[in-house]
Amino acid sequence: MAFTFAAFCYMLTLVLCASLIFFVIWHIIAFDELRTDFKNPIDQGNPARARERLKNIERICCLLRKVSGSPPWGSQDPRLSLVVPEYSIHGLFCLMFLCAAEWVTLGLNIPLLFYHLWRYFHRPADGSEVMYDAVSIMNADILNYCQKESWCKLAFYLLSFFYYLYSMVYTLVSF
Amino acid sequence: MSAPAGAPHPHAAAASARIPPRLGAAAAPAGPSPTPHYQNGPAQNQMQFPPGYGLQSQGYVVPSGLYSQGPGKSTPLPLESQYGTDYHSGHYTVPTQNVTLAPGPSTVNMQPGSQQVYGRGPPAPHTVGSTPGSFPGGVASSASHLHTGRPQPYSSFGNHYNSPGIPSASSSIASQGFPLTSGHYAMSTASGAVYPSVSYPSVPAGDPYGQVFTSQSTSVITQFKDNSFPGQNTAVDHPPQQRLSPVGYSASSWAAPGPQSTQDNLTQNHIGSLATAGNTSNAGSSSCAEKQNIQLLKTSPAPPTVSSGSISARTQPPADRATEPVASGTQPPELLLQEGMQYGGYVNNQASSAPTPSSSTSDDEEEEEEDEEAAIDSSSTTSSVSPVPNSFDVLEGGSYPGDTLDPLSSSTTSPAPALSVPQATKPAKPFGYGYPILQPGYQNVGLSSGAQPSNPAYSGFQQFAQQYPGMNQLSSSLSGLSLQHSSQQPESLRPINLTQDRNILPVTPVLAPVPNLNSDLKKLNCNPDSFRCTLTNIPQTQALLNKAKLPLGLLLHPFRDLTQLPVITSSTIVRCRSCRTYINPFVSFIDQRRWKCNLCYRVNDVPEEFMYNPLTRSYGEPHKRPEVQNSTVEFIASSDYMLRPPQPAVYLFVFDVSHNAVEAGYLTIVCQSLLENLDKLPGDSRTRIGFITFDSTVHFYNLQEGLSQPQMLIVSDIDDIFLPTPDSLLVNLHESKELIKDLLSALPNMFTYTRETHSALGPALQAAFKLMSPTGGRVSVFQTQLPSLGAGLLQSREDPNQRSSTKVVQHLGPATDFYKKLALDCSGQQTAVDLLNAAVVCPGDSPGEPWPSLSLAAQPLLKQTTVLLAFLAVLAHMELEDHETCMSKYSAGCIYYYPSFHHTHNPSQAEKLQKDLKRYLTRKIGFEAVMRIRCTKGLSIHTFHGNFFVRSTDLLSLANINPDAGFAVQMSIEENLTDTSLVCFQTALLYTSSKGERRIRVHTLCLPVVSSLADVYAGVDVQAAICLLANMAVDRSISSSLSDARDALVNAVVDSLSAYSQTSSTSQQSALIAPTSLKLFPLYVLALLKQKAFRTGTSTRLDDRVFAMCQMKCQPLVHLMKIIHPNLYRIDKLTDEGAIHVSDRIVPQPPLQKLSAEKLTREGAFLMDAGSIIYIWIGKSCDNNFIKDVLGYPNYASVPQKLTHLPELDTLSSERTRSFLSWLRDNRPLCPILHVIKDESPAKTDFFQHLVEDRTEAAFSYYEFLLHVQQQICK
């Protein structure tokens, strides 16, 4: 029975992992909302509806995006962001496991870390903060990709959640 | 053989024509009941109102008015007042005609009710009497009402409908439902005498209707109506008529009872025919077919050796076949009516769905398995007709399309040597007609196992027979046919050795390939100019598509200017209830009350209103409605489609008036053009207009009516822009016209001495957005330099010295998302921004800094272009500052770019701006548009290209739509299409016209599905594929890098050609083989690689590159192809050979030349049509006569360096050249500039850069490129 740094790490990650899971679930819901749209063209031809839909898309994309430097022109609401917190939390995991010398756990997380880095720096090359770009998100292939990505991450976080739980108990119990 | 086969039904139409009479004959004795529904309709009316026949008939007529016009549009007629409630819309013309004509026919009708007399009598008098009055009246009324201002379409419709071929076509489409009706039509047409006797005791009424159904001209119809009135009056006396009425038209109004009764009849008829007769008889026929197949199977093993025996054996089934219809046809009249009906149904079914067994002449799409089987059988029977005895065996053998293995053996074994010859010549794909596998899929594996190794050619013939049944009737021998056939057929698949065959470019412009559909569907299919698919044969599975390595996508030009467009006004627009597809020519009618959606396969009801056909004014023919006869239609939407009243046309012009802009002098030209075209701006009395100018501040103009002169309001607080007087900045064009004119004439001089060099474009755009947001509309931004103040300011990003490096690509992305956000906002407010950039080269620029402003401008523009709102199409008039082009992207605007614009230094650009402006200001425009693209279940659309905002996965939001906008979409196959033989795509564009009408333009495209790779290759539309690739490459170069995009383009060629060579056998490993359909693919890709958008090297300015990319994204295919691969003609020896006549002018059509310097001779003069620019290149030793006659100069030396006009000389060659030139110009929306280039002029590099087959500093020549591709393939 020892409350080591590793055990602390696992306890912390356990909590944070739960929050990550919520983030991802939120993503999934957001994409689903983007995808579903009324099929009734009468409604869609309606300009008021067009505006509403557009705002909705923008709002969702803004939520998904990383923090934007300055609020864009014409917008009043403060920018929430989910992507950067998620990425940074996951980065924190890796850092902690590195410090705790939990090599196996670190190894499990490294691929996702690299994926996040790649995703972050390989944004669409149009210069702005467009992790999720309102103008391109509705292209079916991009939307599909984002949805799949979210589901995969959800699975990963769920599994890792139980893995952390197990590891925490394991480190606490063993010497 | 030939006699029985050919005789029964040479044509489907003929068959139907023949049989119906019989039906009629059969029916006559039995009694009135068998009459088809429409016949009943009139009769019943008569029953109801014995005294008021005339009125009732009017009532009947009225519905036509209703349908055509839509309720409430026409004023109710006095006569119809009774029915007024139900049919508010009446034809004024109709009543009058009735009155006038009545006497004539009535007299005829007065003759005692002998039916025969009626049958014969009415037609003649009617035609005679009615023609003068009723004809024009009828046509005019229908045209005017239906078309709302477009007479053409309807009249054309009428013609369309009148054409005798149509009925058969429709019947074939609606495989089961309509056969009966078709039969009836035929019947009525076929024999007037018999007809009346059949079921028409009420001769007068029946007669007209019957004829109406025959789908004759509208004039005829009206005549009939006229006749019918009097006739009915007389008919009152007729007991038989009343007797007929029992069906019970209790309701006086047509709408309610008529339809129902008709429905009853319909159900009776159809159920009878379909359910009982149809099923049984169909089953019978199909079973017969199967039997025959079986027989064939049995016999097949023998054939190769004993041909004669097999022939005889097989001939039997066909003979049975042939006799079948005959026997049935001859069924005695004693048949019960029901039976008669059934019989008719049966026959019709056969005739329509399967090319009547006896003859394969009917050309119908086999949509269903049974039909297909039947078709095969029929083809086999037809083959039996052919004089060559062996043909029959061969035909059976034809079911082995797969046996291409040993052509030699086939040739030896096959009895007819002639047939074998073509095959031997084609090692790769010996199919008979292009797509053997297409229909004959069922061509029975069993048979193939029976295995005659030979005759693929025969199979080809089989198909050929199916597809071109008419050919069978030709007396030409089978071998001859097959020869012809084989020579045509492989055309799209004929392998071409690209490295050896140097002259692959055809001398005439490349046309879009025609989908391999049957001729009826071909006729109905959408015009390829509006709607094209990269693969005209859709592969069955995604795996097959992947194997072919070709892009699958659509290219759309939905709002194209059309000369003929059916416009439909109807209170209900018929659409599928689940997928909301609009009814289109490719739906199938299950029976007369139900139709099956061709995209989602849901069965829908046909609404009552749809049963009435406004064109023929007949009832019960939903399949003849214009919606079902035209693949491109426009609906005038009801109020359901708008939740706010349609917006007025609103135009806002935003001018850059900084020093740079004034120096360039664009303002004079723009204002002048505006003044000239002010009255031609599309719009109605509500049209509004406004102006904003900006330099470092933003200026508004108060044009409120009542002011003595325009007020200029300056807002200098550009960080927080506001509207000084929100109400009076956008004013009604008509009320304030004088003020507007004053302003436009004063504006060019107002800023002459400005010292302001800054440009606050961003704030100006914000102001424009605020101004427009209540209504939406079009913002035209004229901008000459990079925005340097306020929000959205941009820095020049291009370093000319780094152009060659790949880093340039980074600048393809937008530098700020200000414009993107603004564009999205604009899109949300239904505002489109058109960006007009004029890049001005200042003469004073020091030579050391060739592009000072350019680099600055380029970078911001780049940002905008890729990322920016596409909503600003700026006519760039100044130097390089065109970066704002991007703004147009998401607001569905358009971008014009005029590099090096200066009103005096570059007059050709100034002229171009002027002409473009004219087009820009006066062309059609649609506001607050949305476009939805639907496709058959199984296909899915995943990426869109063009200027718009994607609002949902299949919905594009377009603030404005203009006729020059093109779109592209990429598709994938998500579910296998194995259970369908056709796929359809439908584009629906909902927009508000400038007249404040909400309209929906619908295009539908239908394509066959194929299961073999060879067929996929056979159907490649290479131009569409190239344009789609160009769009994809633009995306790639933005998201990744330019070099990636270039590699992807090359790989597209390499992959597709290597995939083809793998499928096409192993012959000639060393050669680069391509099917004919793909032969131009490498050439076009090479041309694409040498485009400004994708080429490497230092000679391309960033602005040019970005603009070229924008063009690729938003140009329609026709124009894009000219940009990618210009057309080169030799024009110094124009002749009238092959000339075409265009509006009184003779336009010579010189052959196309290869884009290679080797084609340029010093003795010649060449014209190159490169889309937005036309070059005329004069060789050094060009014929002096040409120079004198066409250019107006005595000799070559005296021709000036800069020549942009051809003088109007009164010589033949000058006339020809000019008519050719103007013909080229008329074919495109934006006027190209003309450059006459002498051989030694410095401008000749511009010309030579378009010669894509030649080697350039950094790019392959065509031959090198082919070698490169070949190397890659061999790797």
Side-chain angles (χ1 to χ4, degrees), chain B residues 670-701:
Chain B
V670 174
C671 289
Q672 191 60 38
S673 299
L674 255 177
L675 271 178
E676 285 167 8
N677 296 304
L678 209 52
D679 295 328
K680 296 181 202 154
L681 284 177
D684 53 12
S685 58
R686 301 180 299 161
T687 306
R688 296 206 279 164
I689 194 169
F691 297 90
I692 291 177
T693 57
F694 64 94
D695 40 30
S696 62
T697 56
V698 180
H699 322 135
F700 299 89
Y701 297 88

Side-chain angles (χ1 to χ4, degrees), chain B residues 15-63:
Chain B
S16 58
R18 279 190 56 193
I19 289 160
R22 238 175 247 133
L23 169 71
S33 60
T35 61
H37 52 280
Y38 24 84
Q39 296 169 357
N40 287 336
Q44 291 165 358
N45 278 336
Q46 294 167 4
M47 300 311 296
Q48 287 282 337
F49 302 89
Y53 275 115
L55 286 179
Q56 289 192 352
S57 64
Q58 282 182 357
Y60 185 70
V61 172
V62 176

